Amino acid sequence: QLATLVRAGIVVHNALDMVATQCRHKSLKKALFEVTQDVTRGTTLAKAMERHPAVFNDPYIRSIEAGQMGGRLDSVLTRLATFMETAMKRRRGVKAALRYPTIVMVVFTLAFFFLVRFVVPNFVSLFARFQGDLPMPTKVLLASHKAITEYAWLTLLVLGALAFAVWIFLQIPDGRRIWDRLKLEIPVMGQLQTKSAVSTFLQTFNTLNESGVPILSGLDVSARSIGNTSLAAELKKAREGVEKGES
């Protein structure tokens, strides 16, 4: 809508006001009115949008900035709209592809809990009569049953502590990079994530490049947009090579 109004020759702050008035999403509506007020006061559109990172991401703002400097704001807005529509379709495709394995894992977890909680107790006394050594899978089931029934609070405490430790680990840059690298090694799902990240990078970089953003800045912004710190580190190496004069 904003691209259409700007292309029709309507002044930016008036176009923003019209879009904000018609917007039904409360958070977006509030942000757009604030952007309109800032632009009316003389702030550039990119700077005004920069104050709302939850609504306008980095590639969007950098493209707007380049479009204003080059006098091509209408074409940049149109290109951004196309880019965002494509990105939304890609995200939906990835979610659809991950839906089946997610359902399988959830069902498996529920089935395992049901087995341990309600089925295994019927066989505990039977297994106790065996003189020989039980198979490892059976030992795991018995241990899981004991942990859930006799040491429920301790089990929850240990799992909670483990989850908290993992959360702390992911807050560390190196820890996050290791986790992102491991995600790429998962069979099938890892390949899907890699292809999705590369697709995001290429489409973002192409949009920034066509909008007039310099290559080095475009590489920086595109690398941050893919959502994987391990791949972003590799792209940073490529960026350093370009800065040194490589193609």
Side-chain angles (χ1 to χ4, degrees), residues 52-86:
H52 305 276
V55 178
F56 306 103
N57 59 24
D58 206 18
Y60 194 96
I61 294 169
R62 298 286 80 81
S63 296
I64 293 292
E65 187 176 38
Q68 283 188 300
M69 291 177 63
R72 299 180 299 157
L73 183 60
D74 57 342
S75 61
V76 168
L77 285 168
T78 303
R79 194 174 294 115
L80 283 171
T82 303
F83 165 71
M84 293 172 73
E85 288 169 358
T86 305

PDB file of all heavy atoms in Angstrom, residues 52-86:
ATOM      1  N   HIS A  52      11.632   1.378  15.651  1.00  0.00           N
ATOM      2  CA  HIS A  52      10.652   0.300  15.849  1.00  0.00           C
ATOM      3  C   HIS A  52      11.206  -1.016  15.283  1.00  0.00           C
ATOM      4  O   HIS A  52      10.698  -1.544  14.283  1.00  0.00           O
ATOM      5  CB  HIS A  52       9.326   0.662  15.173  1.00  0.00           C
ATOM      6  CG  HIS A  52       8.754   1.976  15.615  1.00  0.00           C
ATOM      7  ND1 HIS A  52       7.982   2.094  16.752  1.00  0.00           N
ATOM      8  CD2 HIS A  52       8.881   3.220  15.092  1.00  0.00           C
ATOM      9  CE1 HIS A  52       7.633   3.362  16.902  1.00  0.00           C
ATOM     10  NE2 HIS A  52       8.162   4.070  15.913  1.00  0.00           N
ATOM     11  N   PRO A  53      12.259  -1.550  15.908  1.00  0.00           N
ATOM     12  CA  PRO A  53      12.900  -2.775  15.384  1.00  0.00           C
ATOM     13  C   PRO A  53      11.997  -4.003  15.412  1.00  0.00           C
ATOM     14  O   PRO A  53      12.236  -4.953  14.666  1.00  0.00           O
ATOM     15  CB  PRO A  53      14.106  -2.958  16.319  1.00  0.00           C
ATOM     16  CG  PRO A  53      13.732  -2.235  17.575  1.00  0.00           C
ATOM     17  CD  PRO A  53      12.909  -1.074  17.131  1.00  0.00           C
ATOM     18  N   ALA A  54      10.963  -3.989  16.262  1.00  0.00           N
ATOM     19  CA  ALA A  54      10.053  -5.133  16.316  1.00  0.00           C
ATOM     20  C   ALA A  54       9.138  -5.178  15.098  1.00  0.00           C
ATOM     21  O   ALA A  54       8.558  -6.224  14.786  1.00  0.00           O
ATOM     22  CB  ALA A  54       9.215  -5.079  17.589  1.00  0.00           C
ATOM     23  N   VAL A  55       9.017  -4.048  14.387  1.00  0.00           N
ATOM     24  CA  VAL A  55       8.144  -3.971  13.215  1.00  0.00           C
ATOM     25  C   VAL A  55       8.962  -3.976  11.923  1.00  0.00           C
ATOM     26  O   VAL A  55       8.653  -4.698  10.981  1.00  0.00           O
ATOM     27  CB  VAL A  55       7.267  -2.703  13.278  1.00  0.00           C
ATOM     28  CG1 VAL A  55       6.382  -2.595  12.043  1.00  0.00           C
ATOM     29  CG2 VAL A  55       6.416  -2.714  14.539  1.00  0.00           C
ATOM     30  N   PHE A  56      10.018  -3.145  11.880  1.00  0.00           N
ATOM     31  CA  PHE A  56      10.831  -3.014  10.672  1.00  0.00           C
ATOM     32  C   PHE A  56      12.224  -3.590  10.936  1.00  0.00           C
ATOM     33  O   PHE A  56      12.961  -3.074  11.777  1.00  0.00           O
ATOM     34  CB  PHE A  56      10.942  -1.543  10.264  1.00  0.00           C
ATOM     35  CG  PHE A  56       9.604  -0.864  10.123  1.00  0.00           C
ATOM     36  CD1 PHE A  56       9.143  -0.006  11.111  1.00  0.00           C
ATOM     37  CD2 PHE A  56       8.806  -1.086   9.015  1.00  0.00           C
ATOM     38  CE1 PHE A  56       7.911   0.625  10.994  1.00  0.00           C
ATOM     39  CE2 PHE A  56       7.571  -0.466   8.892  1.00  0.00           C
ATOM     40  CZ  PHE A  56       7.121   0.389   9.881  1.00  0.00           C
ATOM     41  N   ASN A  57      12.587  -4.650  10.209  1.00  0.00           N
ATOM     42  CA  ASN A  57      13.883  -5.290  10.452  1.00  0.00           C
ATOM     43  C   ASN A  57      15.016  -4.537   9.753  1.00  0.00           C
ATOM     44  O   ASN A  57      14.797  -3.578   9.001  1.00  0.00           O
ATOM     45  CB  ASN A  57      13.856  -6.766  10.028  1.00  0.00           C
ATOM     46  CG  ASN A  57      13.515  -6.945   8.556  1.00  0.00           C
ATOM     47  OD1 ASN A  57      13.728  -6.045   7.748  1.00  0.00           O
ATOM     48  ND2 ASN A  57      12.994  -8.111   8.215  1.00  0.00           N
ATOM     49  N   ASP A  58      16.244  -5.003   9.987  1.00  0.00           N
ATOM     50  CA  ASP A  58      17.432  -4.312   9.493  1.00  0.00           C
ATOM     51  C   ASP A  58      17.485  -4.227   7.967  1.00  0.00           C
ATOM     52  O   ASP A  58      17.742  -3.150   7.412  1.00  0.00           O
ATOM     53  CB  ASP A  58      18.690  -5.008  10.038  1.00  0.00           C
ATOM     54  CG  ASP A  58      19.876  -4.067  10.113  1.00  0.00           C
ATOM     55  OD1 ASP A  58      19.664  -2.843  10.083  1.00  0.00           O
ATOM     56  OD2 ASP A  58      21.016  -4.555  10.183  1.00  0.00           O
ATOM     57  N   PRO A  59      17.256  -5.338   7.221  1.00  0.00           N
ATOM     58  CA  PRO A  59      17.285  -5.232   5.752  1.00  0.00           C
ATOM     59  C   PRO A  59      16.270  -4.220   5.217  1.00  0.00           C
ATOM     60  O   PRO A  59      16.567  -3.489   4.258  1.00  0.00           O
ATOM     61  CB  PRO A  59      16.942  -6.657   5.298  1.00  0.00           C
ATOM     62  CG  PRO A  59      17.350  -7.534   6.415  1.00  0.00           C
ATOM     63  CD  PRO A  59      17.075  -6.738   7.650  1.00  0.00           C
ATOM     64  N   TYR A  60      15.101  -4.177   5.830  1.00  0.00           N
ATOM     65  CA  TYR A  60      14.044  -3.251   5.395  1.00  0.00           C
ATOM     66  C   TYR A  60      14.516  -1.808   5.569  1.00  0.00           C
ATOM     67  O   TYR A  60      14.404  -0.985   4.644  1.00  0.00           O
ATOM     68  CB  TYR A  60      12.780  -3.502   6.221  1.00  0.00           C
ATOM     69  CG  TYR A  60      11.529  -2.859   5.663  1.00  0.00           C
ATOM     70  CD1 TYR A  60      10.654  -3.563   4.857  1.00  0.00           C
ATOM     71  CD2 TYR A  60      11.214  -1.534   5.956  1.00  0.00           C
ATOM     72  CE1 TYR A  60       9.499  -2.983   4.331  1.00  0.00           C
ATOM     73  CE2 TYR A  60      10.076  -0.935   5.450  1.00  0.00           C
ATOM     74  CZ  TYR A  60       9.221  -1.664   4.639  1.00  0.00           C
ATOM     75  OH  TYR A  60       8.094  -1.075   4.139  1.00  0.00           O
ATOM     76  N   ILE A  61      15.073  -1.508   6.732  1.00  0.00           N
ATOM     77  CA  ILE A  61      15.497  -0.133   7.030  1.00  0.00           C
ATOM     78  C   ILE A  61      16.653   0.297   6.127  1.00  0.00           C
ATOM     79  O   ILE A  61      16.673   1.411   5.601  1.00  0.00           O
ATOM     80  CB  ILE A  61      15.895  -0.016   8.519  1.00  0.00           C
ATOM     81  CG1 ILE A  61      14.664  -0.230   9.403  1.00  0.00           C
ATOM     82  CG2 ILE A  61      16.522   1.339   8.812  1.00  0.00           C
ATOM     83  CD1 ILE A  61      14.991  -0.406  10.871  1.00  0.00           C
ATOM     84  N   ARG A  62      17.652  -0.611   5.932  1.00  0.00           N
ATOM     85  CA  ARG A  62      18.796  -0.270   5.082  1.00  0.00           C
ATOM     86  C   ARG A  62      18.357  -0.025   3.635  1.00  0.00           C
ATOM     87  O   ARG A  62      18.888   0.841   2.950  1.00  0.00           O
ATOM     88  CB  ARG A  62      19.835  -1.379   5.133  1.00  0.00           C
ATOM     89  CG  ARG A  62      20.447  -1.643   6.490  1.00  0.00           C
ATOM     90  CD  ARG A  62      21.450  -0.554   6.909  1.00  0.00           C
ATOM     91  NE  ARG A  62      20.812   0.636   7.439  1.00  0.00           N
ATOM     92  CZ  ARG A  62      20.357   0.772   8.682  1.00  0.00           C
ATOM     93  NH1 ARG A  62      20.435  -0.223   9.531  1.00  0.00           N
ATOM     94  NH2 ARG A  62      19.825   1.907   9.078  1.00  0.00           N
ATOM     95  N   SER A  63      17.382  -0.804   3.174  1.00  0.00           N
ATOM     96  CA  SER A  63      16.866  -0.620   1.805  1.00  0.00           C
ATOM     97  C   SER A  63      16.157   0.720   1.685  1.00  0.00           C
ATOM     98  O   SER A  63      16.335   1.445   0.687  1.00  0.00           O
ATOM     99  CB  SER A  63      15.910  -1.758   1.441  1.00  0.00           C
ATOM    100  OG  SER A  63      16.566  -3.003   1.411  1.00  0.00           O
ATOM    101  N   ILE A  64      15.333   1.062   2.676  1.00  0.00           N
ATOM    102  CA  ILE A  64      14.627   2.351   2.681  1.00  0.00           C
ATOM    103  C   ILE A  64      15.641   3.501   2.669  1.00  0.00           C
ATOM    104  O   ILE A  64      15.483   4.486   1.936  1.00  0.00           O
ATOM    105  CB  ILE A  64      13.712   2.464   3.917  1.00  0.00           C
ATOM    106  CG1 ILE A  64      12.559   1.458   3.844  1.00  0.00           C
ATOM    107  CG2 ILE A  64      13.180   3.890   4.070  1.00  0.00           C
ATOM    108  CD1 ILE A  64      11.551   1.725   2.767  1.00  0.00           C
ATOM    109  N   GLU A  65      16.693   3.356   3.473  1.00  0.00           N
ATOM    110  CA  GLU A  65      17.726   4.387   3.554  1.00  0.00           C
ATOM    111  C   GLU A  65      18.391   4.598   2.194  1.00  0.00           C
ATOM    112  O   GLU A  65      18.562   5.733   1.735  1.00  0.00           O
ATOM    113  CB  GLU A  65      18.768   3.973   4.596  1.00  0.00           C
ATOM    114  CG  GLU A  65      19.801   5.021   4.911  1.00  0.00           C
ATOM    115  CD  GLU A  65      20.731   4.574   6.021  1.00  0.00           C
ATOM    116  OE1 GLU A  65      21.078   3.369   6.055  1.00  0.00           O
ATOM    117  OE2 GLU A  65      21.117   5.399   6.852  1.00  0.00           O
ATOM    118  N   ALA A  66      18.755   3.479   1.535  1.00  0.00           N
ATOM    119  CA  ALA A  66      19.391   3.574   0.220  1.00  0.00           C
ATOM    120  C   ALA A  66      18.419   4.131  -0.818  1.00  0.00           C
ATOM    121  O   ALA A  66      18.807   4.914  -1.696  1.00  0.00           O
ATOM    122  CB  ALA A  66      19.904   2.202  -0.214  1.00  0.00           C
ATOM    123  N   GLY A  67      17.151   3.732  -0.725  1.00  0.00           N
ATOM    124  CA  GLY A  67      16.152   4.215  -1.668  1.00  0.00           C
ATOM    125  C   GLY A  67      15.929   5.709  -1.569  1.00  0.00           C
ATOM    126  O   GLY A  67      15.774   6.403  -2.586  1.00  0.00           O
ATOM    127  N   GLN A  68      15.937   6.233  -0.346  1.00  0.00           N
ATOM    128  CA  GLN A  68      15.769   7.672  -0.159  1.00  0.00           C
ATOM    129  C   GLN A  68      16.976   8.444  -0.691  1.00  0.00           C
ATOM    130  O   GLN A  68      16.818   9.480  -1.330  1.00  0.00           O
ATOM    131  CB  GLN A  68      15.576   7.979   1.325  1.00  0.00           C
ATOM    132  CG  GLN A  68      14.177   7.662   1.845  1.00  0.00           C
ATOM    133  CD  GLN A  68      13.964   8.168   3.259  1.00  0.00           C
ATOM    134  OE1 GLN A  68      14.679   7.777   4.179  1.00  0.00           O
ATOM    135  NE2 GLN A  68      12.976   9.022   3.426  1.00  0.00           N
ATOM    136  N   MET A  69      18.169   7.905  -0.431  1.00  0.00           N
ATOM    137  CA  MET A  69      19.389   8.590  -0.892  1.00  0.00           C
ATOM    138  C   MET A  69      19.464   8.596  -2.420  1.00  0.00           C
ATOM    139  O   MET A  69      19.942   9.553  -3.021  1.00  0.00           O
ATOM    140  CB  MET A  69      20.614   7.894  -0.300  1.00  0.00           C
ATOM    141  CG  MET A  69      20.765   8.073   1.212  1.00  0.00           C
ATOM    142  SD  MET A  69      22.191   7.166   1.881  1.00  0.00           S
ATOM    143  CE  MET A  69      23.539   7.997   1.036  1.00  0.00           C
ATOM    144  N   GLY A  70      18.984   7.508  -3.042  1.00  0.00           N
ATOM    145  CA  GLY A  70      19.060   7.426  -4.500  1.00  0.00           C
ATOM    146  C   GLY A  70      17.822   7.947  -5.207  1.00  0.00           C
ATOM    147  O   GLY A  70      17.746   7.900  -6.441  1.00  0.00           O
ATOM    148  N   GLY A  71      16.830   8.422  -4.448  1.00  0.00           N
ATOM    149  CA  GLY A  71      15.616   8.941  -5.056  1.00  0.00           C
ATOM    150  C   GLY A  71      14.764   7.857  -5.708  1.00  0.00           C
ATOM    151  O   GLY A  71      14.039   8.135  -6.673  1.00  0.00           O
ATOM    152  N   ARG A  72      14.842   6.632  -5.182  1.00  0.00           N
ATOM    153  CA  ARG A  72      14.089   5.508  -5.771  1.00  0.00           C
ATOM    154  C   ARG A  72      13.214   4.838  -4.711  1.00  0.00           C
ATOM    155  O   ARG A  72      13.102   3.615  -4.666  1.00  0.00           O
ATOM    156  CB  ARG A  72      15.051   4.475  -6.357  1.00  0.00           C
ATOM    157  CG  ARG A  72      15.944   5.013  -7.470  1.00  0.00           C
ATOM    158  CD  ARG A  72      16.864   3.927  -7.985  1.00  0.00           C
ATOM    159  NE  ARG A  72      17.730   3.446  -6.921  1.00  0.00           N
ATOM    160  CZ  ARG A  72      18.311   2.239  -6.921  1.00  0.00           C
ATOM    161  NH1 ARG A  72      18.056   1.393  -7.895  1.00  0.00           N
ATOM    162  NH2 ARG A  72      19.107   1.888  -5.936  1.00  0.00           N
ATOM    163  N   LEU A  73      12.620   5.626  -3.834  1.00  0.00           N
ATOM    164  CA  LEU A  73      11.869   5.071  -2.713  1.00  0.00           C
ATOM    165  C   LEU A  73      10.689   4.222  -3.179  1.00  0.00           C
ATOM    166  O   LEU A  73      10.418   3.155  -2.616  1.00  0.00           O
ATOM    167  CB  LEU A  73      11.371   6.193  -1.799  1.00  0.00           C
ATOM    168  CG  LEU A  73      10.632   5.740  -0.532  1.00  0.00           C
ATOM    169  CD1 LEU A  73      11.535   4.875   0.336  1.00  0.00           C
ATOM    170  CD2 LEU A  73      10.160   6.950   0.257  1.00  0.00           C
ATOM    171  N   ASP A  74       9.979   4.659  -4.227  1.00  0.00           N
ATOM    172  CA  ASP A  74       8.815   3.909  -4.689  1.00  0.00           C
ATOM    173  C   ASP A  74       9.183   2.517  -5.196  1.00  0.00           C
ATOM    174  O   ASP A  74       8.537   1.519  -4.865  1.00  0.00           O
ATOM    175  CB  ASP A  74       8.069   4.698  -5.768  1.00  0.00           C
ATOM    176  CG  ASP A  74       8.963   5.055  -6.948  1.00  0.00           C
ATOM    177  OD1 ASP A  74      10.201   5.010  -6.788  1.00  0.00           O
ATOM    178  OD2 ASP A  74       8.420   5.372  -8.032  1.00  0.00           O
ATOM    179  N   SER A  75      10.267   2.429  -5.994  1.00  0.00           N
ATOM    180  CA  SER A  75      10.684   1.127  -6.528  1.00  0.00           C
ATOM    181  C   SER A  75      11.243   0.239  -5.423  1.00  0.00           C
ATOM    182  O   SER A  75      11.048  -0.982  -5.432  1.00  0.00           O
ATOM    183  CB  SER A  75      11.734   1.315  -7.632  1.00  0.00           C
ATOM    184  OG  SER A  75      12.891   1.965  -7.142  1.00  0.00           O
ATOM    185  N   VAL A  76      11.934   0.852  -4.437  1.00  0.00           N
ATOM    186  CA  VAL A  76      12.474   0.080  -3.314  1.00  0.00           C
ATOM    187  C   VAL A  76      11.340  -0.498  -2.471  1.00  0.00           C
ATOM    188  O   VAL A  76      11.381  -1.659  -2.060  1.00  0.00           O
ATOM    189  CB  VAL A  76      13.404   0.963  -2.447  1.00  0.00           C
ATOM    190  CG1 VAL A  76      13.725   0.266  -1.119  1.00  0.00           C
ATOM    191  CG2 VAL A  76      14.695   1.261  -3.188  1.00  0.00           C
ATOM    192  N   LEU A  77      10.304   0.298  -2.213  1.00  0.00           N
ATOM    193  CA  LEU A  77       9.149  -0.176  -1.448  1.00  0.00           C
ATOM    194  C   LEU A  77       8.455  -1.337  -2.163  1.00  0.00           C
ATOM    195  O   LEU A  77       8.060  -2.328  -1.535  1.00  0.00           O
ATOM    196  CB  LEU A  77       8.166   0.964  -1.219  1.00  0.00           C
ATOM    197  CG  LEU A  77       8.562   2.008  -0.165  1.00  0.00           C
ATOM    198  CD1 LEU A  77       7.654   3.222  -0.250  1.00  0.00           C
ATOM    199  CD2 LEU A  77       8.526   1.407   1.230  1.00  0.00           C
ATOM    200  N   THR A  78       8.318  -1.215  -3.483  1.00  0.00           N
ATOM    201  CA  THR A  78       7.710  -2.299  -4.263  1.00  0.00           C
ATOM    202  C   THR A  78       8.543  -3.569  -4.174  1.00  0.00           C
ATOM    203  O   THR A  78       8.020  -4.679  -4.000  1.00  0.00           O
ATOM    204  CB  THR A  78       7.567  -1.876  -5.740  1.00  0.00           C
ATOM    205  OG1 THR A  78       6.794  -0.679  -5.808  1.00  0.00           O
ATOM    206  CG2 THR A  78       6.889  -2.957  -6.553  1.00  0.00           C
ATOM    207  N   ARG A  79       9.864  -3.404  -4.286  1.00  0.00           N
ATOM    208  CA  ARG A  79      10.781  -4.553  -4.210  1.00  0.00           C
ATOM    209  C   ARG A  79      10.723  -5.197  -2.823  1.00  0.00           C
ATOM    210  O   ARG A  79      10.758  -6.424  -2.695  1.00  0.00           O
ATOM    211  CB  ARG A  79      12.198  -4.086  -4.538  1.00  0.00           C
ATOM    212  CG  ARG A  79      13.174  -5.219  -4.817  1.00  0.00           C
ATOM    213  CD  ARG A  79      14.519  -4.694  -5.264  1.00  0.00           C
ATOM    214  NE  ARG A  79      14.415  -4.020  -6.551  1.00  0.00           N
ATOM    215  CZ  ARG A  79      14.635  -2.722  -6.733  1.00  0.00           C
ATOM    216  NH1 ARG A  79      14.944  -1.951  -5.709  1.00  0.00           N
ATOM    217  NH2 ARG A  79      14.534  -2.185  -7.934  1.00  0.00           N
ATOM    218  N   LEU A  80      10.634  -4.376  -1.782  1.00  0.00           N
ATOM    219  CA  LEU A  80      10.555  -4.901  -0.412  1.00  0.00           C
ATOM    220  C   LEU A  80       9.263  -5.675  -0.187  1.00  0.00           C
ATOM    221  O   LEU A  80       9.258  -6.711   0.484  1.00  0.00           O
ATOM    222  CB  LEU A  80      10.655  -3.751   0.594  1.00  0.00           C
ATOM    223  CG  LEU A  80      12.051  -3.173   0.823  1.00  0.00           C
ATOM    224  CD1 LEU A  80      11.975  -1.902   1.665  1.00  0.00           C
ATOM    225  CD2 LEU A  80      12.956  -4.195   1.508  1.00  0.00           C
ATOM    226  N   ALA A  81       8.165  -5.176  -0.749  1.00  0.00           N
ATOM    227  CA  ALA A  81       6.887  -5.876  -0.604  1.00  0.00           C
ATOM    228  C   ALA A  81       6.963  -7.264  -1.238  1.00  0.00           C
ATOM    229  O   ALA A  81       6.524  -8.267  -0.650  1.00  0.00           O
ATOM    230  CB  ALA A  81       5.774  -5.059  -1.243  1.00  0.00           C
ATOM    231  N   THR A  82       7.565  -7.333  -2.440  1.00  0.00           N
ATOM    232  CA  THR A  82       7.729  -8.619  -3.128  1.00  0.00           C
ATOM    233  C   THR A  82       8.624  -9.551  -2.330  1.00  0.00           C
ATOM    234  O   THR A  82       8.342 -10.745  -2.181  1.00  0.00           O
ATOM    235  CB  THR A  82       8.331  -8.400  -4.530  1.00  0.00           C
ATOM    236  OG1 THR A  82       7.500  -7.514  -5.274  1.00  0.00           O
ATOM    237  CG2 THR A  82       8.451  -9.717  -5.277  1.00  0.00           C
ATOM    238  N   PHE A  83       9.708  -8.985  -1.787  1.00  0.00           N
ATOM    239  CA  PHE A  83      10.654  -9.775  -0.987  1.00  0.00           C
ATOM    240  C   PHE A  83       9.979 -10.349   0.251  1.00  0.00           C
ATOM    241  O   PHE A  83      10.155 -11.525   0.595  1.00  0.00           O
ATOM    242  CB  PHE A  83      11.834  -8.891  -0.575  1.00  0.00           C
ATOM    243  CG  PHE A  83      12.684  -9.467   0.529  1.00  0.00           C
ATOM    244  CD1 PHE A  83      13.498 -10.560   0.295  1.00  0.00           C
ATOM    245  CD2 PHE A  83      12.651  -8.917   1.807  1.00  0.00           C
ATOM    246  CE1 PHE A  83      14.280 -11.097   1.312  1.00  0.00           C
ATOM    247  CE2 PHE A  83      13.421  -9.450   2.818  1.00  0.00           C
ATOM    248  CZ  PHE A  83      14.241 -10.535   2.567  1.00  0.00           C
ATOM    249  N   MET A  84       9.172  -9.531   0.927  1.00  0.00           N
ATOM    250  CA  MET A  84       8.518  -9.981   2.163  1.00  0.00           C
ATOM    251  C   MET A  84       7.467 -11.051   1.873  1.00  0.00           C
ATOM    252  O   MET A  84       7.302 -11.999   2.648  1.00  0.00           O
ATOM    253  CB  MET A  84       7.895  -8.791   2.890  1.00  0.00           C
ATOM    254  CG  MET A  84       8.929  -7.817   3.431  1.00  0.00           C
ATOM    255  SD  MET A  84       8.204  -6.304   4.094  1.00  0.00           S
ATOM    256  CE  MET A  84       7.511  -6.939   5.607  1.00  0.00           C
ATOM    257  N   GLU A  85       6.767 -10.927   0.757  1.00  0.00           N
ATOM    258  CA  GLU A  85       5.786 -11.942   0.369  1.00  0.00           C
ATOM    259  C   GLU A  85       6.481 -13.277   0.077  1.00  0.00           C
ATOM    260  O   GLU A  85       6.014 -14.343   0.478  1.00  0.00           O
ATOM    261  CB  GLU A  85       5.002 -11.473  -0.860  1.00  0.00           C
ATOM    262  CG  GLU A  85       4.018 -10.347  -0.548  1.00  0.00           C
ATOM    263  CD  GLU A  85       3.440  -9.725  -1.805  1.00  0.00           C
ATOM    264  OE1 GLU A  85       3.836 -10.151  -2.917  1.00  0.00           O
ATOM    265  OE2 GLU A  85       2.603  -8.812  -1.692  1.00  0.00           O
ATOM    266  N   THR A  86       7.619 -13.206  -0.630  1.00  0.00           N
ATOM    267  CA  THR A  86       8.389 -14.416  -0.929  1.00  0.00           C
ATOM    268  C   THR A  86       8.922 -15.056   0.346  1.00  0.00           C
ATOM    269  O   THR A  86       8.881 -16.285   0.497  1.00  0.00           O
ATOM    270  CB  THR A  86       9.565 -14.074  -1.869  1.00  0.00           C
ATOM    271  OG1 THR A  86       9.076 -13.430  -3.039  1.00  0.00           O
ATOM    272  CG2 THR A  86      10.320 -15.334  -2.279  1.00  0.00           C
TER     273      THR A  86
END
